[in-house]
Amino acid sequence: MNEKIDDYSPDLKDLLSIIHSERGLKKGTYLFQEGDQADAIYFIRSGKVRIGKITPDGRELTFRICGKEDFIGEMTLYCAPSKYTVHAKVLEDGICAKIRKEDLEENLLLNPNLNIEFMKMMGIHHQKAQLKFRDLILHGKKGALYSTLIRMTNSYGVSIKDGILIDLPLTNQELANFCGMSREVVNRMLGLLKKDGKVSMQEGKIVIHDLQFLRNEIHCENCPVEICNIE
């Protein structure tokens, strides 16, 4: 969910009027881990949090990065208590607000407009996840890497003279975590893109020189930016 507070509807902003607590975020710690009780949603006031998962073979998958004024809502409502299937690791010190599940459910029942807007927000969140899995299933490793690069240009892209700079320092391992692949595979695929002049590196950041090539290769459907992003 990458909408910022000024972009939310008036009804959705009412989420922040629900009784909540606040806590500090310390880099390297976890907001929650896989298996913890899924009993709240969070609103990031400052800092960055990575939503991810550890696979059975020990690989780390990164689903998205949440920053200032993002909601984290990895739970289901109006059902028996459940557990988190992902973890939320703090990447940058900050502060977040925590709204308990029971308080959220009560307010959604009392405020139909808020309920509708919250469901819309959650629907966008699930649609993003489905599109990521679609790219991987239909286009394999190429789909995973190319769609990730496209999403990163939408989230962190800055236009420069000869392309789009992804203004986010990333190691190849971190990029591999987004794609669900090994670092060696990402190294090889990036090497081919660099050789063909499609991408390059600038001070540890990726520059996309031919965004349309990436889109064509995975038959990009030009989804709205609010869906096609990494946040």
Side-chain angles (χ1 to χ4, degrees):
M1 307 175 214
N2 73 315
E3 303 90 340
K4 304 308 178 185
I5 194 65
D6 289 339
D7 298 327
Y8 295 138
S9 70
D11 292 308
L12 198 54
K13 290 179 182 179
D14 285 345
L15 279 173
L16 298 179
S17 67
I18 298 174
I19 295 175
H20 60 271
S21 59
E22 297 207 352
R23 57 174 285 186
L25 301 174
K26 183 69 174 177
K27 182 178 179 180
T29 63
Y30 289 84
L31 195 56
F32 54 79
Q33 298 199 55
E34 294 180 58
D36 288 349
Q37 193 79 16
D39 59 358
I41 66 168
Y42 298 87
F43 177 75
I44 307 301
R45 295 197 183 279
S46 62
K48 283 188 172 61
V49 177
R50 181 179 65 210
I51 307 301
K53 185 177 182 66
I54 303 297
T55 65
D57 61 0
R59 288 185 298 114
E60 183 169 8
L61 299 179
T62 298
F63 296 127
R64 68 184 191 281
I65 295 177
C66 300
K68 183 179 179 181
E69 298 183 352
D70 284 335
F71 280 104
I72 300 175
E74 310 300 318
M75 67 175 186
T76 53
L77 300 174
Y78 307 114
C79 65
S82 59
K83 297 184 181 299
Y84 289 114
T85 58
V86 295
H87 64 244
K89 186 174 184 179
V90 180
L91 301 181
E92 182 181 286
D93 291 356
I95 299 172
C96 75
K98 176 181 178 180
I99 303 173
R100 297 188 309 159
K101 177 181 177 180
E102 51 264 43
D103 292 329
L104 174 63
E105 291 175 337
E106 179 181 355
N107 278 268
L108 292 180
L109 287 173
L110 294 173
N111 188 338
N113 290 333
L114 175 61
N115 198 337
I116 291 171
E117 293 302 319
F118 184 80
M119 291 301 112
K120 285 180 181 178
M121 182 174 68
M122 294 298 290
I124 290 174
H125 169 60
H126 291 306
Q127 188 175 3
K128 290 180 184 179
Q130 290 172 353
L131 289 174
K132 286 190 69 173
F133 289 126
R134 179 207 64 182
D135 292 337
L136 178 58
I137 292 171
L138 292 181
H139 304 293
K141 293 181 174 63
K142 179 188 290 186
L145 176 60
Y146 289 14
S147 65
T148 296
L149 292 175
I150 292 169
R151 289 184 173 93
M152 285 183 169
T153 62
N154 288 334
S155 294
Y156 302 104
V158 177
S159 295
I160 58 176
K161 183 177 180 180
D162 57 347
I164 301 174
L165 170 71
I166 298 176
D167 193 18
L168 178 70
L170 279 174
T171 65
N172 283 4
Q173 182 60 63
E174 289 169 334
L175 181 58
N177 292 346
F178 273 107
C179 303
M181 298 187 294
S182 69
R183 178 174 56 83
E184 292 74 18
V185 171
V186 168
N187 287 346
R188 183 169 64 253
M189 295 178 69
L190 278 179
L192 292 174
L193 288 173
K194 292 175 185 176
K195 182 180 178 181
D196 293 338
K198 307 301 182 184
V199 307
S200 66
M201 299 299 296
Q202 181 176 309
E203 299 180 355
K205 299 176 181 178
I206 299 173
V207 177
I208 307 296
H209 298 293
D210 193 345
L211 182 60
Q212 192 58 48
F213 169 81
L214 301 180
R215 288 173 171 167
N216 291 343
E217 285 293 296
I218 62 170
H219 308 290
C220 180
E221 298 175 358
N222 293 316
C223 298
V225 172
E226 58 267 24
I227 294 176
C228 185
N229 59 60
I230 212 71
E231 299 177 305

Short mmCIF file of all heavy atoms in Angstrom, two decimals, residues 23-32 44 46-50 66 88-96 168-169 171 174:
data_model
loop_
_atom_site.label_atom_id
_atom_site.label_comp_id
_atom_site.label_asym_id
_atom_site.label_seq_id
_atom_site.Cartn_x
_atom_site.Cartn_y
_atom_site.Cartn_z
N ARG A 23 5.10 3.21 18.74
CA ARG A 23 6.35 2.56 19.16
C ARG A 23 7.48 2.98 18.24
O ARG A 23 7.26 3.36 17.08
CB ARG A 23 6.21 1.04 19.13
CG ARG A 23 5.81 0.46 17.79
CD ARG A 23 5.82 -1.05 17.77
NE ARG A 23 7.18 -1.58 17.72
CZ ARG A 23 7.46 -2.87 17.58
NH1 ARG A 23 6.48 -3.75 17.51
NH2 ARG A 23 8.71 -3.29 17.53
N GLY A 24 8.67 2.92 18.77
CA GLY A 24 9.83 3.26 17.97
C GLY A 24 10.26 2.09 17.10
O GLY A 24 9.98 0.92 17.42
N LEU A 25 10.88 2.40 15.98
CA LEU A 25 11.41 1.39 15.07
C LEU A 25 12.94 1.47 15.12
O LEU A 25 13.52 2.52 14.87
CB LEU A 25 10.93 1.64 13.64
CG LEU A 25 9.41 1.63 13.41
CD1 LEU A 25 9.09 2.03 11.98
CD2 LEU A 25 8.83 0.26 13.74
N LYS A 26 13.58 0.36 15.42
CA LYS A 26 15.03 0.31 15.51
C LYS A 26 15.57 -0.57 14.39
O LYS A 26 15.16 -1.72 14.23
CB LYS A 26 15.46 -0.27 16.87
CG LYS A 26 16.95 -0.30 17.10
CD LYS A 26 17.52 1.10 17.26
CE LYS A 26 19.01 1.05 17.63
NZ LYS A 26 19.60 2.41 17.73
N LYS A 27 16.47 0.00 13.59
CA LYS A 27 17.03 -0.74 12.46
C LYS A 27 17.54 -2.10 12.88
O LYS A 27 18.22 -2.24 13.89
CB LYS A 27 18.17 0.08 11.83
CG LYS A 27 18.80 -0.59 10.61
CD LYS A 27 19.89 0.28 10.01
CE LYS A 27 20.52 -0.40 8.80
NZ LYS A 27 21.60 0.43 8.20
N GLY A 28 17.17 -3.12 12.07
CA GLY A 28 17.62 -4.47 12.34
C GLY A 28 16.68 -5.29 13.18
O GLY A 28 16.82 -6.52 13.28
N THR A 29 15.68 -4.63 13.81
CA THR A 29 14.69 -5.36 14.61
C THR A 29 13.48 -5.68 13.73
O THR A 29 13.41 -5.28 12.57
CB THR A 29 14.25 -4.53 15.83
OG1 THR A 29 13.61 -3.32 15.39
CG2 THR A 29 15.45 -4.18 16.70
N TYR A 30 12.51 -6.38 14.31
CA TYR A 30 11.32 -6.78 13.57
C TYR A 30 10.07 -6.17 14.18
O TYR A 30 9.89 -6.19 15.40
CB TYR A 30 11.19 -8.31 13.56
CG TYR A 30 12.21 -9.01 12.70
CD1 TYR A 30 13.48 -9.31 13.18
CD2 TYR A 30 11.91 -9.36 11.38
CE1 TYR A 30 14.41 -9.94 12.39
CE2 TYR A 30 12.84 -10.00 10.57
CZ TYR A 30 14.09 -10.28 11.08
OH TYR A 30 15.03 -10.90 10.29
N LEU A 31 9.23 -5.65 13.30
CA LEU A 31 7.91 -5.18 13.74
C LEU A 31 7.06 -6.39 14.12
O LEU A 31 6.33 -6.39 15.11
CB LEU A 31 7.26 -4.38 12.60
CG LEU A 31 6.06 -3.51 12.92
CD1 LEU A 31 6.40 -2.50 14.00
CD2 LEU A 31 5.60 -2.77 11.65
N PHE A 32 7.17 -7.43 13.31
CA PHE A 32 6.60 -8.74 13.62
C PHE A 32 7.34 -9.78 12.77
O PHE A 32 7.97 -9.45 11.77
CB PHE A 32 5.09 -8.79 13.36
CG PHE A 32 4.66 -8.37 11.98
CD1 PHE A 32 4.76 -9.23 10.89
CD2 PHE A 32 4.15 -7.10 11.76
CE1 PHE A 32 4.36 -8.84 9.62
CE2 PHE A 32 3.75 -6.69 10.49
CZ PHE A 32 3.85 -7.57 9.41
N ILE A 44 3.22 3.75 9.27
CA ILE A 44 4.60 4.20 9.41
C ILE A 44 4.64 5.73 9.40
O ILE A 44 4.32 6.36 8.39
CB ILE A 44 5.49 3.65 8.28
CG1 ILE A 44 5.35 2.12 8.18
CG2 ILE A 44 6.94 4.04 8.52
CD1 ILE A 44 5.73 1.39 9.43
N SER A 46 7.55 7.39 10.29
CA SER A 46 8.89 7.66 9.76
C SER A 46 9.66 6.36 9.75
O SER A 46 9.31 5.41 10.47
CB SER A 46 9.61 8.72 10.61
OG SER A 46 9.79 8.27 11.94
N GLY A 47 10.72 6.31 8.93
CA GLY A 47 11.51 5.10 8.84
C GLY A 47 11.10 4.23 7.66
O GLY A 47 10.22 4.60 6.87
N LYS A 48 11.74 3.05 7.54
CA LYS A 48 11.44 2.11 6.46
C LYS A 48 11.36 0.70 7.02
O LYS A 48 12.12 0.32 7.91
CB LYS A 48 12.52 2.18 5.36
CG LYS A 48 12.40 3.36 4.43
CD LYS A 48 13.39 3.23 3.27
CE LYS A 48 13.17 4.31 2.21
NZ LYS A 48 13.36 5.66 2.74
N VAL A 49 10.42 -0.08 6.47
CA VAL A 49 10.21 -1.46 6.90
C VAL A 49 10.09 -2.34 5.67
O VAL A 49 9.38 -2.01 4.72
CB VAL A 49 8.92 -1.58 7.75
CG1 VAL A 49 8.67 -3.04 8.13
CG2 VAL A 49 9.03 -0.73 9.01
N ARG A 50 10.81 -3.48 5.68
CA ARG A 50 10.75 -4.42 4.56
C ARG A 50 9.83 -5.58 4.91
O ARG A 50 9.98 -6.21 5.95
CB ARG A 50 12.14 -4.95 4.24
CG ARG A 50 12.16 -5.93 3.06
CD ARG A 50 13.57 -6.40 2.76
NE ARG A 50 14.09 -7.18 3.88
CZ ARG A 50 15.39 -7.23 4.19
NH1 ARG A 50 16.27 -6.53 3.53
NH2 ARG A 50 15.80 -7.99 5.21
N CYS A 66 8.07 -0.58 2.85
CA CYS A 66 7.10 0.40 3.32
C CYS A 66 7.84 1.57 3.97
O CYS A 66 8.77 1.36 4.74
CB CYS A 66 6.15 -0.23 4.35
SG CYS A 66 5.22 -1.63 3.71
N ALA A 88 8.21 -8.42 9.05
CA ALA A 88 8.41 -6.99 8.77
C ALA A 88 9.69 -6.55 9.49
O ALA A 88 9.70 -6.41 10.71
CB ALA A 88 7.21 -6.18 9.28
N LYS A 89 10.75 -6.39 8.72
CA LYS A 89 12.06 -6.04 9.28
C LYS A 89 12.33 -4.56 9.09
O LYS A 89 12.14 -4.01 8.01
CB LYS A 89 13.16 -6.86 8.61
CG LYS A 89 14.53 -6.68 9.24
CD LYS A 89 15.55 -7.62 8.63
CE LYS A 89 16.90 -7.49 9.33
NZ LYS A 89 17.90 -8.43 8.77
N VAL A 90 12.78 -3.90 10.16
CA VAL A 90 13.04 -2.46 10.12
C VAL A 90 14.38 -2.20 9.40
O VAL A 90 15.42 -2.73 9.80
CB VAL A 90 13.09 -1.88 11.55
CG1 VAL A 90 13.37 -0.38 11.49
CG2 VAL A 90 11.77 -2.14 12.26
N LEU A 91 14.31 -1.38 8.35
CA LEU A 91 15.51 -1.01 7.59
C LEU A 91 16.07 0.33 8.02
O LEU A 91 17.25 0.61 7.79
CB LEU A 91 15.17 -0.94 6.09
CG LEU A 91 14.64 -2.21 5.43
CD1 LEU A 91 14.38 -1.94 3.95
CD2 LEU A 91 15.61 -3.36 5.59
N GLU A 92 15.24 1.16 8.63
CA GLU A 92 15.65 2.51 8.98
C GLU A 92 14.88 2.95 10.23
O GLU A 92 13.68 2.75 10.32
CB GLU A 92 15.33 3.45 7.80
CG GLU A 92 15.72 4.88 7.96
CD GLU A 92 15.32 5.69 6.73
OE1 GLU A 92 15.99 5.55 5.69
OE2 GLU A 92 14.32 6.43 6.81
N ASP A 93 15.59 3.51 11.20
CA ASP A 93 14.94 3.94 12.45
C ASP A 93 13.73 4.83 12.17
O ASP A 93 13.74 5.62 11.21
CB ASP A 93 15.92 4.72 13.32
CG ASP A 93 17.03 3.84 13.90
OD1 ASP A 93 16.99 2.62 13.68
OD2 ASP A 93 17.93 4.39 14.55
N GLY A 94 12.72 4.73 13.02
CA GLY A 94 11.55 5.58 12.84
C GLY A 94 10.52 5.35 13.92
O GLY A 94 10.83 4.85 15.01
N ILE A 95 9.28 5.69 13.61
CA ILE A 95 8.16 5.56 14.53
C ILE A 95 6.96 5.03 13.77
O ILE A 95 6.74 5.39 12.60
CB ILE A 95 7.80 6.92 15.17
CG1 ILE A 95 8.98 7.48 15.97
CG2 ILE A 95 6.57 6.80 16.07
CD1 ILE A 95 8.76 8.90 16.47
N CYS A 96 6.17 4.18 14.40
CA CYS A 96 4.94 3.70 13.76
C CYS A 96 3.79 3.72 14.76
O CYS A 96 4.00 3.69 15.98
CB CYS A 96 5.13 2.30 13.19
SG CYS A 96 5.14 0.98 14.41
N LEU A 168 17.72 4.19 -5.43
CA LEU A 168 17.69 3.30 -4.28
C LEU A 168 18.92 2.41 -4.34
O LEU A 168 19.02 1.56 -5.23
CB LEU A 168 16.41 2.44 -4.31
CG LEU A 168 16.26 1.41 -3.18
CD1 LEU A 168 15.98 2.12 -1.86
CD2 LEU A 168 15.14 0.43 -3.51
N PRO A 169 19.88 2.62 -3.44
CA PRO A 169 21.07 1.78 -3.46
C PRO A 169 20.70 0.31 -3.21
O PRO A 169 20.01 0.01 -2.23
CB PRO A 169 21.93 2.34 -2.32
CG PRO A 169 21.38 3.70 -2.05
CD PRO A 169 19.92 3.63 -2.36
N THR A 171 22.23 -3.83 -3.47
CA THR A 171 23.20 -4.85 -3.85
C THR A 171 22.49 -5.84 -4.76
O THR A 171 21.26 -5.91 -4.78
CB THR A 171 23.75 -5.58 -2.62
OG1 THR A 171 22.68 -6.32 -2.01
CG2 THR A 171 24.33 -4.60 -1.60
N GLU A 174 20.25 -7.99 -2.69
CA GLU A 174 18.97 -7.37 -2.33
C GLU A 174 18.01 -7.38 -3.50
O GLU A 174 16.81 -7.62 -3.34
CB GLU A 174 19.22 -5.94 -1.84
CG GLU A 174 19.89 -5.88 -0.48
CD GLU A 174 20.36 -4.49 -0.11
OE1 GLU A 174 20.64 -3.68 -1.03
OE2 GLU A 174 20.47 -4.20 1.10
#
